[in-house]
Each structure stands twice: as structure tokens, then as C-alpha cells.
Amino acid sequence: MWLPCLHTRNCKHVICLDNFHTGRRANIEQLTSQPNFQVVEHDIVDPLDIAVDRIFNLACPASPIKYQSDPVRTLKTSIVGTLNLLELAQRTGARILQASTSEIYGDPIVHPQKESYWGNVNPIGPRSCYDEGKRAAETLCFDFHRQHQVDVRVVRIFNTYGPRMQPDDGRVVSAFIDQALRGVALTIFGEGHQTRSFCFVDDLVDGMVAMMNQDDYIGPLNLGNPQELSIRELAEKIIEFTGSSSGIIFKSLPADDPTRRRPDITLAREILGFAPKTPLSDGLAKTVPYFRGLLESS
């Protein structure tokens, strides 16, 4: 579950904000009994006032199915929500980390993608509510830094996977695992030649924490796994890994779906010493049992 997490000033208490539009309360059940962890149901589109010294803004659906179901709400979350949190950071003197996305690069014509690349985004397409919302959020972060000296950090997150994803969120790893475990055909959009790079969630979290804790660079900074593979290869790996008898079917490619995606993480290596540690096989070994458990309990 992706949340804007606020650390209070004594650094011993974590406040977790979520409107539960896409998140599940079950994902944080193991934390709710901890005395230094508090859950507040709140939508960051609405202003808030609280004393904090660290803000991790990870709000906004990342699944195309979810963010396209209410594109105006998606834009408001990225733009109005980020504005509210930047104003909170300005009032409190907090450092804020903005979770941006590889989607700001659109369907890239530069490969792999470096932070200096400005992207190739359709501003009026069905994905633009997410792409342009995140681009605008980056603009707000840098303008608040320049105009109001707000202490910002901006990371661009590439495809991430792991336990606690939702099987119906439409993202390729969760969709493929769910279909494979149910024994139905894995759905590939297009011919499966398009590529992605998949980073296990633990590696991503390590990168975000390291970015928040360093004082020398505000961003933007790519975080992801530079190992690139085709969607067809991913489908075949998941079928093999799960021991599934599922086949593969092909459907039309959605509009503006990127053909290639791989992060250049040279800057993250230099600044953070960041390097993903989890091979895809190990990440699947931690992710598949979670989905199998969901299926068995349903």
C-alpha cells in the first residue's frame, strides 16, 4: 500500500495517512498495535495541519485501471494533494520526499532513461491524468524549493512489485501472478515485445529512505532495477515459476502504452550507493505466496 507517511518531530512516531481509495487496511494490520504507529483516514486533497519533520508523499493510484477510473480525482491527488503537503512542509520546516514516476518520461525516445531526459508524453491521452499530474507535482516541488526554500526530495520510481499488491489492480506482475495461480490465460497487450524493468519493493524502500536521509541532492533521481525484459518473457517466467498450466492470449495494446522502459540509475549509485539487490526470481518467491494466500482465503 502506498501512503503519504508523516513522521512527527520527536522522530519516534509515524502517522500514516490513507483515504483507502485503493489501499487495504489489512496491509497494515501488523502495525496498528504498535504504540508509535497511528493511522489517520484522510484525503490529501483536503488540507491538513499537523506537526511533522518528515513527509513521504506516495499518494496517488499507480494502476492504470485505478487512475483512469476517475482521472479528475487522479489529477487532484497529484496536484492539489502535493500542494497541500508542500504547504504543510513550508509551515513546519519538514523535509518532504515526493514519489514521482517513470511515467513522466512517457513513451521514451531516449533509452535507457536518464533524469536529464524531458520525456515524450501525450498531454491529452487517457494516461495523461497520471503522467501530467506527476509532472506538475514535480514542478510544484521545485518551485516551492526555489521560492520558499522548502526542503524537497524527488524520486522517479520505475515499475515496483511485491507482496500486498492487489490482484485486480491491472499492473502486469500482479495480473500475471493472479491469472497463473487461477489457471487462466495470461493476458498480454500487444505482442509482448514491449519492455519493463521490475524492482522489488524492499529495494525501492531502501532507496527512498537513503534519498530522504542525505543532504546533498534534492532530485530528481531515478529509483528502479535496470534489468530489462520483455512482457512476453515476464509472462513465461511467471508461468514457469508458479507451475501453472496457463497459456497466453494477446489483446490490443492500450493507447500511449510505452514500448520500452529502463532506468539509468548511474546518479542513484553515485549519490546513494543504490543498487537493487533482489533478482526477479527471489522477488517472485516472496510475492507469489502472498497472492496464493489471497486466492485460498477468497
Side-chain angles (χ1 to χ4, degrees):
M1 174 164 31
W2 300 112
L3 309 167
C5 298
L6 312 179
H7 294 253
T8 57
R9 287 193 180 281
N10 62 14
C11 296
K12 296 180 180 179
H13 192 81
V14 175
I15 302 173
C16 175
L17 265 67
D18 197 340
N19 63 4
F20 295 100
H21 176 54
T22 60
R24 299 173 66 245
R25 291 183 182 274
N27 288 345
I28 51 174
E29 281 181 352
Q30 75 277 18
L31 299 173
T32 53
S33 62
Q34 300 297 318
N36 62 343
F37 183 82
Q38 178 184 0
V39 181
V40 176
E41 187 167 349
H42 182 87
D43 193 321
I44 62 167
V45 170
D46 300 318
L48 68 157
D49 194 9
I50 191 169
V52 292
D53 63 3
R54 292 287 187 269
I55 302 171
F56 289 80
N57 180 24
L58 291 89
C60 193
S63 155
I65 290 176
K66 300 294 186 181
Y67 69 65
Q68 291 179 28
S69 68
D70 192 343
V72 173
R73 183 175 188 167
T74 298
L75 276 165
K76 289 176 70 175
T77 300
S78 286
I79 298 173
V80 179
T82 300
L83 176 62
N84 284 335
L85 293 181
L86 285 165
E87 289 177 341
L88 175 64
Q90 182 185 359
R91 290 195 301 272
T92 61
R95 177 176 292 179
I96 177 170
L97 182 141
Q98 170 66 20
S100 189
T101 172
S102 62
E103 294 294 333
I104 68 102
Y105 298 120
D107 187 5
I109 57 177
V110 172
H111 192 79
Q113 292 78 59
K114 294 185 177 183
E115 291 86 352
S116 57
Y117 176 50
W118 289 355
N120 178 38
V121 175
N122 176 1
I124 58 171
R127 300 170 68 99
S128 61
C129 59
Y130 185 70
D131 303 356
E132 296 288 24
K134 289 289 191 176
R135 287 163 70 95
E138 286 196 16
T139 301
L140 282 168
C141 287
F142 282 91
D143 282 343
F144 264 76
H145 175 71
R146 285 185 289 258
Q147 185 172 344
H148 302 298
Q149 294 74 54
V150 172
D151 192 8
V152 303
R153 300 289 183 273
V154 177
V155 294
R156 292 173 177 168
I157 297 172
F158 283 68
N159 291 67
T160 306
Y161 70 99
R164 298 186 178 89
M165 297 177 73
Q166 296 190 44
D168 62 347
D169 72 1
R171 285 182 282 188
V172 65
V173 173
S174 51
F176 282 176
I177 293 175
D178 179 63
Q179 290 171 331
L181 292 177
R182 290 189 292 111
V184 301
L186 276 64
T187 304
I188 290 180
F189 295 96
E191 298 180 357
H193 301 316
Q194 66 269 37
T195 66
R196 296 293 185 271
S197 304
F198 299 97
C199 185
F200 189 63
V201 62
D202 289 1
D203 293 331
L204 175 69
V205 170
D206 287 345
M208 288 194 298
V209 171
M211 181 64 169
M212 176 65 96
N213 288 340
Q214 58 80 39
D215 298 321
D216 299 324
Y217 184 68
I218 67 171
L221 189 80
N222 290 338
L223 290 179
N225 191 325
Q227 181 182 1
E228 183 181 11
L229 75 164
S230 72
I231 298 301
R232 178 67 182 261
E233 289 174 316
L234 176 67
E236 292 170 348
K237 284 181 180 292
I238 288 177
I239 289 173
E240 179 182 6
F241 190 90
T242 57
S244 176
S245 59
S246 296
I248 296 174
I249 59 174
F250 298 87
K251 294 187 177 181
S252 299
L253 194 67
D256 301 326
D257 192 65
T259 55
R260 301 187 73 184
R261 184 66 60 73
R262 176 163 69 93
D264 183 320
I265 61 168
T266 302
L267 201 55
R269 285 195 179 103
E270 292 175 353
I271 294 172
L272 307 179
F274 173 79
K277 302 174 182 177
T278 310
L280 181 61
S281 58
D282 291 354
L284 290 176
K286 297 177 180 180
T287 305
V288 168
Y290 172 77
F291 280 86
R292 185 173 279 120
L294 287 181
L295 191 62
E296 291 172 353
S297 64
S298 62

